[in-house]
Amino acid sequence: MNRLTASVSAAAVAAGACLALLAPSAVGAAAANVVQQVRAADLGPWRPWLRLQDDQANVNRLPGVQEVSPFADPVRFNGSLHLSIAGGQQAQAAHYTAQVPLSTVAAAELSYDSYVKTVEGGATGTAANLQLPMICRGAFTTLSFQPQLATDSRGRAGVVPDTWQHFESTGASLWRTSRALPTDPALPAGSDAPLSTYAAGCDAPGDGVIGLLANVGRPGDVEAPLDAYVDNLTANGTTYDFAVEGLARGRIVLNRGNQDRPCHHVSQPCPRTQGGTASGFVSFAGPADGPGYRGVGTRLVFSDGRALAPADLTVTANGRPLTLIAGPGGTLTAVVSPTPRADLNPNGTYRTALVVTHRDHPSRDGGDGGTGGRVGLKVRAELLATGDEPLRPTGVSTSTTVR
């Protein structure tokens, strides 16, 4: 066993292989991937995820930036793994485990989300690699997924800067070996081949994958700067979600501008009406330890216990009328997309001024004796953000009822 193999094997024990990144029990096409969050405290020496400098075998390599970042991923919008290098540097986060046959790993989902920021003078056409450290015929190597040679989930070829891309390994995807492999036929260092080729040649006793890495750069490979983010690394039934601690919170304030219409009934109690105008705002606040949401927006959902029609409401956001669309369950929905683009950063606030006019229709009996099912106008606001496609739900929402 060479020095690097020994170092990596020791790191696997130190990192706590009990976390079972590649546990065989997780395998199964019908089983949903288990999501495991990775926080900033999980990166570092003797932690589940090792940075480049935490492995003694990398003592002669210059580390770049390796951190859990507020930069929101395109799935859960709760942060991501930031890997950034200058010329000659390398950055990675590595999670080591017990050995699992490569054929087993290749049979399950292998995927990740990737983002590359445009940097002045930076590298082009390349991104962070999803990597599989492994033993093959007694030799250590690292297999690297090649995003520049792949097609993402939206059919885009190669690396597209300044946008999130989802890459998934298929039977045709090319993986590059970092070292020569004594397979039959032999595979020289730098060979590109599908995982099936490596699995067929790396099936000796003791062969297998020993973890999962996200990596950018090797000394001499990338001379230009590269600023990359990755998240949702998925292998063999587990998805690793890099996340910061906090999440944004929402608030709705809507005050009625006019009171209920006068009641002229004398023989029975006067029911409240729903008609009237309410004005105020929707705001979302990002905590200091929360993610940074890019290109945010708001989805508004209105309901009042009846089947609302677009004629029942008039809504303006920041002084502009909104188009209302019938939604499920008798709701009305509208989307606010700020112009110019707005971001919601940690310690920041995203606010939208609202004016809502709700027209009462007491003729819609609603089965309550003529009060029209009056339960108040419920307003729900969902924070949207730009992910791998424009304005996706972030999972952050708030609601109120105007009575």
Side-chain angles (χ1 to χ4, degrees):
M1 181 179 292
N2 61 33
R3 177 175 175 269
L4 181 56
T5 302
S7 175
V8 170
S9 298
V13 175
C18 61
L19 291 179
L21 159 67
L22 303 171
S25 60
V27 177
N33 293 320
V34 175
V35 177
Q36 184 176 115
Q37 287 196 336
V38 182
R39 304 286 192 176
D42 295 320
L43 271 66
W46 306 98
R47 303 294 176 86
W49 288 80
L50 301 179
R51 302 163 302 170
L52 184 78
Q53 65 269 29
D54 299 328
D55 186 341
Q56 294 181 355
N58 299 323
V59 65
N60 294 321
R61 298 180 183 176
L62 297 175
V65 174
Q66 307 141 117
E67 62 183 2
V68 176
S69 165
F71 193 78
D73 72 286
V75 177
R76 296 172 183 84
F77 293 93
N78 57 4
S80 58
L81 174 65
H82 184 201
L83 301 173
S84 178
I85 58 172
Q89 292 181 335
Q90 186 178 2
Q92 67 177 216
H95 182 60
Y96 293 105
T97 68
Q99 291 180 356
V100 175
L102 178 56
S103 58
T104 300
V105 177
E109 179 183 351
L110 276 167
S111 66
Y112 69 121
D113 295 308
S114 169
Y115 187 100
V116 177
K117 279 188 176 181
T118 297
V119 178
E120 184 176 355
T124 58
T126 188
N129 300 105
L130 177 68
Q131 296 185 329
L132 300 175
M134 66 172 297
I135 306 300
C136 179
R137 301 285 171 173
F140 175 82
T141 191
T142 300
L143 303 182
S144 299
F145 179 80
Q146 303 293 289
Q148 70 275 18
L149 304 178
T151 300
D152 70 13
S153 61
R154 300 185 67 185
R156 297 169 295 198
V159 176
V160 180
D162 300 314
T163 187
W164 278 104
Q165 295 179 271
H166 179 74
F167 289 105
E168 184 167 351
S169 179
T170 68
S173 298
L174 296 178
W175 292 70
R176 180 166 297 174
T177 175
S178 62
R179 288 172 172 77
L181 298 178
T183 54
D184 185 17
L187 292 169
S191 295
D192 286 324
L195 283 182
S196 57
T197 298
Y198 297 110
C202 303
D203 59 353
D207 286 357
V209 177
I210 59 173
L212 181 70
L213 293 82
N215 180 86
V216 294
R218 281 288 299 272
D221 288 349
V222 180
E223 292 300 329
L226 180 63
D227 194 11
Y229 298 81
V230 297
D231 207 349
N232 305 307
L233 281 69
T234 299
N236 218 31
T238 301
T239 295
Y240 289 91
D241 171 30
F242 290 82
V244 293
E245 296 290 338
L247 287 176
R249 292 188 176 183
R251 181 187 180 204
I252 302 176
V253 175
L254 286 173
N255 297 313
R256 291 172 61 90
N258 64 313
Q259 300 301 315
D260 297 329
R261 294 194 303 270
C263 179
H264 300 290
H265 297 282
V266 294
S267 61
Q268 60 183 6
C270 181
R272 290 178 61 85
T273 69
Q274 289 176 284
T277 297
S279 60
F281 62 86
V282 175
S283 67
F284 292 95
D289 61 349
Y293 304 89
R294 299 181 307 115
V296 295
T298 307
R299 176 182 287 115
L300 299 170
V301 182
F302 302 92
S303 61
D304 71 353
R306 307 167 299 176
L308 283 172
D312 294 339
L313 292 181
T314 299
V315 183
T316 63
N318 299 324
R320 298 180 178 180
L322 295 180
T323 300
L324 297 169
I325 300 173
T331 62
L332 292 176
T333 67
V335 172
V336 181
S337 182
T339 303
R341 193 186 96 165
D343 296 334
L344 176 56
N345 295 312
N347 267 338
T349 301
Y350 160 55
R351 179 169 170 146
T352 302
L354 285 184
V355 178
V356 181
T357 299
H358 186 202
R359 297 175 182 84
D360 184 39
H361 290 276
S363 61
R364 298 180 185 177
D365 188 287
D368 63 354
T371 63
R374 299 181 183 96
V375 294
L377 179 67
K378 184 174 181 179
V379 184
R380 177 181 175 86
E382 303 171 352
L383 178 65
L384 309 177
T386 302
D388 55 356
E389 58 187 37
L391 294 183
R392 288 190 55 173
T394 63
V396 177
S397 66
T398 184
S399 61
T400 192
T401 300
V402 182
R403 299 186 184 277

